[in-house]
Amino acid sequence: MGLVASAFCGGVPAAVIAVGVRSGRLDSHHIVDRARRTGPLLAAVAAVLVALALLVVLGAPTLLVATVTAMLVALGVTVPVTSRWKISFHAAVSAGTVVVLAHVLPAWPTALAGAAVVALVCWARVRLSHHTGPQVLAGAVVGTLTTWATLSAFGLGI
């Protein structure tokens, strides 16, 4: 079932972006032009919704359903924001992943190591000039809070 979630939540959006880049509709896989992000982001939301529906129908484990729901919640926050301000999806995804991992692995060591990885991702996004410090910080905060709140709503608090 994890493969279903991965294919829809990661594979479909990546394929949409790759096709957009090859066809010339998108500038790069980074989609620097925010005006061009709408289509791929809507495709991502649709793919996550399909994944969520399939997981529920297939009786997936609660943690997997909660994780995909957290992706949807994070998209619900970041998609509207990115139309006006370039919040970092990379920071949001990496931070949200750390929250999920801290649920299934020893929490504090995972959170500390994960924070270092998130900091590295944020640094790289700023270093590449794809984001500013506030944009990566906002992404990391959104990813952390939406994932934590979603897991808690599913009764899976850390």
Side-chain angles (χ1 to χ4, degrees), residues 33-64:
D33 180 2
R34 280 195 327 266
R36 301 272 184 198
R37 288 181 165 196
T38 304
L41 287 172
L42 291 177
V45 169
V48 172
L49 282 168
V50 169
L52 190 55
L54 284 171
L55 293 173
V56 169
V57 167
L58 294 172
T62 302
L63 180 59
L64 186 55

Side-chain angles (χ1 to χ4, degrees), residues 7 19 24 34 38 67 72 81 85 105 113 117 119 123 131 137 144 152:
V19 168
R34 280 195 327 266
T38 304
T67 300
L72 189 59
V81 170
W85 188 64
L105 299 172
V117 172
W123 171 84
H131 291 286
L137 179 61
T144 299
S152 294

Side-chain angles (χ1 to χ4, degrees), residues 7-35:
F8 280 94
C9 297
V12 170
V16 168
I17 292 169
V19 168
V21 170
R22 280 193 213 114
S23 70
R25 289 189 313 268
L26 299 176
D27 51 29
S28 73
H29 68 279
H30 295 288
I31 316 177
V32 177
D33 180 2
R34 280 195 327 266

Side-chain angles (χ1 to χ4, degrees), residues 37-107:
R37 288 181 165 196
T38 304
L41 287 172
L42 291 177
V45 169
V48 172
L49 282 168
V50 169
L52 190 55
L54 284 171
L55 293 173
V56 169
V57 167
L58 294 172
T62 302
L63 180 59
L64 186 55
V65 174
T67 300
V68 173
T69 302
M71 292 173 155
L72 189 59
V73 172
L75 283 168
V77 173
T78 55
V79 169
V81 170
T82 201
S83 66
R84 296 188 182 270
W85 188 64
K86 197 177 172 193
I87 192 167
S88 175
F89 287 92
H90 286 85
V93 169
S94 61
T97 300
V98 170
V99 174
V100 172
L101 289 174
H103 177 74
V104 296
L105 299 172

